[in-house]
Amino acid sequence: MHEKQIDPPTKSRLDDAMALLDSRSRHVMELWLEGESHQEIAKIIGLPERAIALIRRSSLWRLRDLIALKAAAEDTEFPPGRPK
């Protein structure tokens, strides 16, 4: 599959957020990000396609929230890059 290039800070935030997902959600998201369809993911994981759609949707919301929190925390650091 063709992989989209992601800049390092965004990739790091995504990697950090993905690590906080439960293993099943992380597996679904990894397969989806690789370009697999819900149908293909369902066959690989052994769950109904509808379950895959629900896991993917809830995982996207969770990732969005986690990435936003991390970005907000990084924006409030002063001076930048120094531990609090």
Side-chain angles (χ1 to χ4, degrees), residues 36-53:
E36 301 291 350
S37 69
H38 288 172
Q39 184 178 22
E40 293 165 327
I41 297 169
K43 287 179 186 175
I44 292 167
I45 294 183
L47 292 172
E49 205 171 322
R50 178 73 177 140
I52 298 302

Side-chain angles (χ1 to χ4, degrees), residues 1 4 15 17-20 22 25 32 36 41 50 52-53 58 60 62 67-69 73 75 79 83-84:
M1 286 280 145
K4 183 179 177 184
D15 291 340
M18 289 279 286
L20 296 174
D22 64 87
S25 296
W32 182 72
E36 301 291 350
I41 297 169
R50 178 73 177 140
I52 298 302
S58 65
L60 279 173
R62 180 77 176 131
I67 290 169
L69 286 171
D75 289 344
K84 293 181 180 182

Side-chain angles (χ1 to χ4, degrees), residues 8-72:
T10 303
K11 185 171 176 72
S12 175
R13 287 179 185 156
L14 177 59
D15 291 340
D16 291 347
M18 289 279 286
L20 296 174
L21 294 177
D22 64 87
S23 62
R24 183 176 63 183
S25 296
R26 187 172 43 255
H27 192 199
V28 167
M29 292 305 296
E30 288 168 348
L31 291 169
W32 182 72
L33 288 168
E34 291 172 4
E36 301 291 350
S37 69
H38 288 172
Q39 184 178 22
E40 293 165 327
I41 297 169
K43 287 179 186 175
I44 292 167
I45 294 183
L47 292 172
E49 205 171 322
R50 178 73 177 140
I52 298 302
L54 291 171
I55 292 167
R56 185 196 58 87
R57 185 174 61 213
S58 65
S59 296
L60 279 173
W61 281 104
R62 180 77 176 131
L63 289 170
R64 180 191 65 98
D65 291 344
L66 290 167
I67 290 169
L69 286 171
K70 182 161 175 82

